[in-house]
PDB file of all heavy atoms in Angstrom:
ATOM      1  N   GLU D 582      15.624-152.565-179.485  1.00 94.00           N
ATOM      2  CA  GLU D 582      16.664-153.574-179.249  1.00 94.00           C
ATOM      3  C   GLU D 582      17.951-152.978-178.690  1.00 94.00           C
ATOM      4  O   GLU D 582      18.628-153.597-177.886  1.00 94.00           O
ATOM      5  CB  GLU D 582      16.977-154.311-180.550  1.00 94.00           C
ATOM      6  CG  GLU D 582      15.919-155.329-180.904  1.00 94.00           C
ATOM      7  CD  GLU D 582      16.183-155.988-182.243  1.00 94.00           C
ATOM      8  OE1 GLU D 582      17.177-155.610-182.903  1.00 94.00           O
ATOM      9  OE2 GLU D 582      15.384-156.854-182.631  1.00 94.00           O
ATOM     10  N   ARG D 588      21.806-143.272-184.787  1.00 97.00           N
ATOM     11  CA  ARG D 588      22.258-141.882-184.734  1.00 97.00           C
ATOM     12  C   ARG D 588      23.275-141.643-185.849  1.00 97.00           C
ATOM     13  O   ARG D 588      24.274-142.343-185.950  1.00 97.00           O
ATOM     14  CB  ARG D 588      22.881-141.619-183.357  1.00 97.00           C
ATOM     15  CG  ARG D 588      23.178-140.172-183.109  1.00 97.00           C
ATOM     16  CD  ARG D 588      23.364-139.898-181.635  1.00 97.00           C
ATOM     17  NE  ARG D 588      23.753-138.506-181.455  1.00 97.00           N
ATOM     18  CZ  ARG D 588      23.839-137.883-180.306  1.00 97.00           C
ATOM     19  NH1 ARG D 588      23.585-138.523-179.185  1.00 97.00           N
ATOM     20  NH2 ARG D 588      24.197-136.616-180.246  1.00 97.00           N
ATOM     21  N   ASP D 612      12.721-136.936-189.862  1.00 95.00           N
ATOM     22  CA  ASP D 612      11.300-137.242-189.987  1.00 95.00           C
ATOM     23  C   ASP D 612      11.062-138.752-189.963  1.00 95.00           C
ATOM     24  O   ASP D 612      10.039-139.228-189.489  1.00 95.00           O
ATOM     25  CB  ASP D 612      10.728-136.664-191.294  1.00 95.00           C
ATOM     26  CG  ASP D 612      10.501-135.162-191.209  1.00 95.00           C
ATOM     27  OD1 ASP D 612      10.748-134.591-190.132  1.00 95.00           O
ATOM     28  OD2 ASP D 612      10.074-134.569-192.215  1.00 95.00           O
ATOM     29  N   ASP D 616      18.091-140.101-185.204  1.00 95.00           N
ATOM     30  CA  ASP D 616      18.662-138.952-184.510  1.00 95.00           C
ATOM     31  C   ASP D 616      19.793-138.452-185.379  1.00 95.00           C
ATOM     32  O   ASP D 616      20.735-139.186-185.674  1.00 95.00           O
ATOM     33  CB  ASP D 616      19.209-139.355-183.138  1.00 95.00           C
ATOM     34  CG  ASP D 616      18.097-139.429-182.100  1.00 95.00           C
ATOM     35  OD1 ASP D 616      17.024-138.828-182.340  1.00 95.00           O
ATOM     36  OD2 ASP D 616      18.292-140.082-181.056  1.00 95.00           O
ATOM     37  N   ILE D 617      19.683-137.193-185.803  1.00 96.00           N
ATOM     38  CA  ILE D 617      20.663-136.648-186.736  1.00 96.00           C
ATOM     39  C   ILE D 617      21.501-135.576-186.058  1.00 96.00           C
ATOM     40  O   ILE D 617      20.968-134.607-185.521  1.00 96.00           O
ATOM     41  CB  ILE D 617      19.948-136.030-187.962  1.00 96.00           C
ATOM     42  CG1 ILE D 617      19.156-137.092-188.724  1.00 96.00           C
ATOM     43  CG2 ILE D 617      20.964-135.353-188.885  1.00 96.00           C
ATOM     44  CD1 ILE D 617      19.995-138.204-189.303  1.00 96.00           C
ATOM     45  N   ASP D 618      22.785-135.758-186.078  1.00 95.00           N
ATOM     46  CA  ASP D 618      23.695-134.695-185.655  1.00 95.00           C
ATOM     47  C   ASP D 618      24.083-133.930-186.898  1.00 95.00           C
ATOM     48  O   ASP D 618      24.486-134.517-187.883  1.00 95.00           O
ATOM     49  CB  ASP D 618      24.966-135.271-185.030  1.00 95.00           C
ATOM     50  CG  ASP D 618      24.694-135.887-183.670  1.00 95.00           C
ATOM     51  OD1 ASP D 618      24.122-136.987-183.632  1.00 95.00           O
ATOM     52  OD2 ASP D 618      25.056-135.256-182.660  1.00 95.00           O
ATOM     53  N   LYS D 631      36.087-135.942-184.054  1.00 98.00           N
ATOM     54  CA  LYS D 631      35.842-135.634-182.642  1.00 98.00           C
ATOM     55  C   LYS D 631      34.343-135.622-182.351  1.00 98.00           C
ATOM     56  O   LYS D 631      33.878-136.236-181.395  1.00 98.00           O
ATOM     57  CB  LYS D 631      36.487-134.280-182.306  1.00 98.00           C
ATOM     58  CG  LYS D 631      36.318-133.842-180.858  1.00 98.00           C
ATOM     59  CD  LYS D 631      37.165-132.605-180.543  1.00 98.00           C
ATOM     60  CE  LYS D 631      37.069-132.194-179.084  1.00 98.00           C
ATOM     61  NZ  LYS D 631      35.909-131.349-178.784  1.00 98.00           N
ATOM     62  N   ILE D 634      32.917-139.243-182.500  1.00 98.00           N
ATOM     63  CA  ILE D 634      33.292-140.100-181.371  1.00 98.00           C
ATOM     64  C   ILE D 634      32.588-139.628-180.098  1.00 98.00           C
ATOM     65  O   ILE D 634      32.028-140.425-179.355  1.00 98.00           O
ATOM     66  CB  ILE D 634      34.828-140.076-181.167  1.00 98.00           C
ATOM     67  CG1 ILE D 634      35.547-140.662-182.386  1.00 98.00           C
ATOM     68  CG2 ILE D 634      35.224-140.800-179.881  1.00 98.00           C
ATOM     69  CD1 ILE D 634      35.405-142.146-182.581  1.00 98.00           C
ATOM     70  N   GLU D 635      32.585-138.330-179.855  1.00 97.00           N
ATOM     71  CA  GLU D 635      31.992-137.824-178.609  1.00 97.00           C
ATOM     72  C   GLU D 635      30.503-138.107-178.541  1.00 97.00           C
ATOM     73  O   GLU D 635      29.956-138.331-177.474  1.00 97.00           O
ATOM     74  CB  GLU D 635      32.253-136.312-178.472  1.00 97.00           C
ATOM     75  CG  GLU D 635      33.696-136.013-178.099  1.00 97.00           C
ATOM     76  CD  GLU D 635      34.008-134.532-178.042  1.00 97.00           C
ATOM     77  OE1 GLU D 635      33.138-133.696-178.356  1.00 97.00           O
ATOM     78  OE2 GLU D 635      35.167-134.198-177.694  1.00 97.00           O
ATOM     79  N   ASN D 636      29.866-138.063-179.680  1.00 97.00           N
ATOM     80  CA  ASN D 636      28.431-138.316-179.662  1.00 97.00           C
ATOM     81  C   ASN D 636      28.101-139.771-179.947  1.00 97.00           C
ATOM     82  O   ASN D 636      26.939-140.136-180.083  1.00 97.00           O
ATOM     83  CB  ASN D 636      27.719-137.364-180.621  1.00 97.00           C
ATOM     84  CG  ASN D 636      27.692-135.954-180.069  1.00 97.00           C
ATOM     85  OD1 ASN D 636      26.940-135.673-179.151  1.00 97.00           O
ATOM     86  ND2 ASN D 636      28.561-135.097-180.579  1.00 97.00           N
ATOM     87  N   ASP D 637      29.117-140.572-180.060  1.00 98.00           N
ATOM     88  CA  ASP D 637      28.974-142.010-180.245  1.00 98.00           C
ATOM     89  C   ASP D 637      27.939-142.346-181.328  1.00 98.00           C
ATOM     90  O   ASP D 637      26.994-143.094-181.086  1.00 98.00           O
ATOM     91  CB  ASP D 637      28.582-142.656-178.899  1.00 98.00           C
ATOM     92  CG  ASP D 637      28.746-144.170-178.930  1.00 98.00           C
ATOM     93  OD1 ASP D 637      29.459-144.679-179.818  1.00 98.00           O
ATOM     94  OD2 ASP D 637      28.132-144.851-178.079  1.00 98.00           O
TER      95      ASP D 637
ATOM     96  N   ARG U  13      38.535-140.277-174.818  1.00 97.00           N
ATOM     97  CA  ARG U  13      37.329-139.723-175.405  1.00 97.00           C
ATOM     98  C   ARG U  13      36.278-140.783-175.770  1.00 97.00           C
ATOM     99  O   ARG U  13      35.102-140.679-175.421  1.00 97.00           O
ATOM    100  CB  ARG U  13      37.699-138.949-176.669  1.00 97.00           C
ATOM    101  CG  ARG U  13      36.988-137.655-176.842  1.00 97.00           C
ATOM    102  CD  ARG U  13      37.572-136.895-178.028  1.00 97.00           C
ATOM    103  NE  ARG U  13      38.739-136.113-177.669  1.00 97.00           N
ATOM    104  CZ  ARG U  13      38.681-134.943-177.037  1.00 97.00           C
ATOM    105  NH1 ARG U  13      37.512-134.428-176.715  1.00 97.00           N
ATOM    106  NH2 ARG U  13      39.769-134.295-176.733  1.00 97.00           N
ATOM    107  N   LYS U  18      31.131-143.761-174.968  1.00 97.00           N
ATOM    108  CA  LYS U  18      30.417-145.041-174.836  1.00 97.00           C
ATOM    109  C   LYS U  18      29.695-145.098-173.490  1.00 97.00           C
ATOM    110  O   LYS U  18      28.578-145.602-173.393  1.00 97.00           O
ATOM    111  CB  LYS U  18      31.406-146.210-174.917  1.00 97.00           C
ATOM    112  CG  LYS U  18      32.007-146.422-176.299  1.00 97.00           C
ATOM    113  CD  LYS U  18      31.037-147.166-177.200  1.00 97.00           C
ATOM    114  CE  LYS U  18      31.627-147.269-178.602  1.00 97.00           C
ATOM    115  NZ  LYS U  18      30.596-147.196-179.650  1.00 97.00           N
ATOM    116  N   THR U  21      26.566-143.129-173.618  1.00 96.00           N
ATOM    117  CA  THR U  21      25.549-143.905-174.327  1.00 96.00           C
ATOM    118  C   THR U  21      24.912-144.918-173.382  1.00 96.00           C
ATOM    119  O   THR U  21      23.695-145.099-173.367  1.00 96.00           O
ATOM    120  CB  THR U  21      26.185-144.651-175.523  1.00 96.00           C
ATOM    121  OG1 THR U  21      26.805-143.700-176.374  1.00 96.00           O
ATOM    122  CG2 THR U  21      25.136-145.418-176.302  1.00 96.00           C
ATOM    123  N   THR U  91       7.911-137.816-185.219  1.00 73.00           N
ATOM    124  CA  THR U  91       8.148-139.242-185.405  1.00 73.00           C
ATOM    125  C   THR U  91       9.114-139.798-184.373  1.00 73.00           C
ATOM    126  O   THR U  91       9.406-140.982-184.373  1.00 73.00           O
ATOM    127  CB  THR U  91       8.757-139.519-186.778  1.00 73.00           C
ATOM    128  OG1 THR U  91       9.917-138.707-186.915  1.00 73.00           O
ATOM    129  CG2 THR U  91       7.782-139.216-187.886  1.00 73.00           C
ATOM    130  N   SER U  94      15.194-136.691-184.386  1.00 90.00           N
ATOM    131  CA  SER U  94      15.517-135.312-184.051  1.00 90.00           C
ATOM    132  C   SER U  94      16.720-134.844-184.841  1.00 90.00           C
ATOM    133  O   SER U  94      17.508-135.647-185.325  1.00 90.00           O
ATOM    134  CB  SER U  94      15.809-135.185-182.556  1.00 90.00           C
ATOM    135  OG  SER U  94      16.836-136.087-182.219  1.00 90.00           O
ATOM    136  N   LEU U  96      19.984-132.673-184.150  1.00 90.00           N
ATOM    137  CA  LEU U  96      20.758-132.070-183.073  1.00 90.00           C
ATOM    138  C   LEU U  96      21.666-131.019-183.698  1.00 90.00           C
ATOM    139  O   LEU U  96      22.724-131.343-184.214  1.00 90.00           O
ATOM    140  CB  LEU U  96      21.556-133.156-182.362  1.00 90.00           C
ATOM    141  CG  LEU U  96      20.640-134.261-181.802  1.00 90.00           C
ATOM    142  CD1 LEU U  96      21.360-135.584-181.706  1.00 90.00           C
ATOM    143  CD2 LEU U  96      20.081-133.856-180.459  1.00 90.00           C
ATOM    144  N   LYS U  99      25.207-127.933-181.819  1.00 82.00           N
ATOM    145  CA  LYS U  99      26.654-127.859-181.973  1.00 82.00           C
ATOM    146  C   LYS U  99      27.093-126.905-183.072  1.00 82.00           C
ATOM    147  O   LYS U  99      28.213-126.402-183.041  1.00 82.00           O
ATOM    148  CB  LYS U  99      27.211-129.246-182.264  1.00 82.00           C
ATOM    149  CG  LYS U  99      27.437-130.036-181.018  1.00 82.00           C
ATOM    150  CD  LYS U  99      27.690-131.481-181.384  1.00 82.00           C
ATOM    151  CE  LYS U  99      26.496-132.011-182.144  1.00 82.00           C
ATOM    152  NZ  LYS U  99      26.692-133.368-182.623  1.00 82.00           N
ATOM    153  N   SER U 106      33.810-126.734-180.085  1.00 94.00           N
ATOM    154  CA  SER U 106      33.764-128.129-180.531  1.00 94.00           C
ATOM    155  C   SER U 106      35.111-128.606-181.030  1.00 94.00           C
ATOM    156  O   SER U 106      35.487-129.752-180.846  1.00 94.00           O
ATOM    157  CB  SER U 106      32.758-128.306-181.674  1.00 94.00           C
ATOM    158  OG  SER U 106      31.477-127.987-181.255  1.00 94.00           O
ATOM    159  N   THR U 111      37.852-129.933-174.915  1.00 98.00           N
ATOM    160  CA  THR U 111      36.413-129.970-174.669  1.00 98.00           C
ATOM    161  C   THR U 111      35.860-131.343-175.004  1.00 98.00           C
ATOM    162  O   THR U 111      36.464-132.114-175.743  1.00 98.00           O
ATOM    163  CB  THR U 111      35.654-128.970-175.561  1.00 98.00           C
ATOM    164  OG1 THR U 111      35.786-129.380-176.930  1.00 98.00           O
ATOM    165  CG2 THR U 111      36.170-127.562-175.387  1.00 98.00           C
ATOM    166  N   ARG U 114      28.628-133.117-175.948  1.00 96.00           N
ATOM    167  CA  ARG U 114      27.689-134.185-176.247  1.00 96.00           C
ATOM    168  C   ARG U 114      26.280-133.610-176.323  1.00 96.00           C
ATOM    169  O   ARG U 114      25.827-132.931-175.413  1.00 96.00           O
ATOM    170  CB  ARG U 114      27.755-135.228-175.134  1.00 96.00           C
ATOM    171  CG  ARG U 114      26.738-136.346-175.244  1.00 96.00           C
ATOM    172  CD  ARG U 114      27.143-137.379-176.266  1.00 96.00           C
ATOM    173  NE  ARG U 114      26.319-138.568-176.133  1.00 96.00           N
ATOM    174  CZ  ARG U 114      26.793-139.809-176.186  1.00 96.00           C
ATOM    175  NH1 ARG U 114      28.074-140.033-176.375  1.00 96.00           N
ATOM    176  NH2 ARG U 114      25.965-140.828-176.070  1.00 96.00           N
ATOM    177  N   SER U 115      25.580-133.899-177.410  1.00 94.00           N
ATOM    178  CA  SER U 115      24.178-133.485-177.521  1.00 94.00           C
ATOM    179  C   SER U 115      23.277-134.677-177.270  1.00 94.00           C
ATOM    180  O   SER U 115      23.592-135.791-177.668  1.00 94.00           O
ATOM    181  CB  SER U 115      23.855-132.990-178.928  1.00 94.00           C
ATOM    182  OG  SER U 115      24.631-131.896-179.254  1.00 94.00           O
ATOM    183  N   ARG U 119      13.643-135.611-176.295  1.00 67.00           N
ATOM    184  CA  ARG U 119      12.478-136.484-176.429  1.00 67.00           C
ATOM    185  C   ARG U 119      11.295-135.974-175.615  1.00 67.00           C
ATOM    186  O   ARG U 119      10.524-136.747-175.082  1.00 67.00           O
ATOM    187  CB  ARG U 119      12.774-137.902-175.953  1.00 67.00           C
ATOM    188  CG  ARG U 119      13.960-138.514-176.614  1.00 67.00           C
ATOM    189  CD  ARG U 119      13.609-139.807-177.310  1.00 67.00           C
ATOM    190  NE  ARG U 119      14.760-140.284-178.037  1.00 67.00           N
ATOM    191  CZ  ARG U 119      15.141-139.816-179.216  1.00 67.00           C
ATOM    192  NH1 ARG U 119      14.427-138.893-179.832  1.00 67.00           N
ATOM    193  NH2 ARG U 119      16.207-140.288-179.814  1.00 67.00           N
TER     194      ARG U 119
END
Side-chain angles (χ1 to χ4, degrees):
Chain D
E582 283 176 358
R588 189 162 176 171
D612 283 358
D616 279 340
I617 298 298
D618 289 75
K631 180 171 183 276
I634 297 289
E635 286 176 356
N636 288 286
D637 194 18
Chain U
R13 222 172 275 282
K18 290 280 176 214
T21 303
T91 54
S94 56
L96 302 153
K99 276 168 301 176
S106 298
T111 66
R114 175 78 167 223
S115 299
R119 306 237 175 281

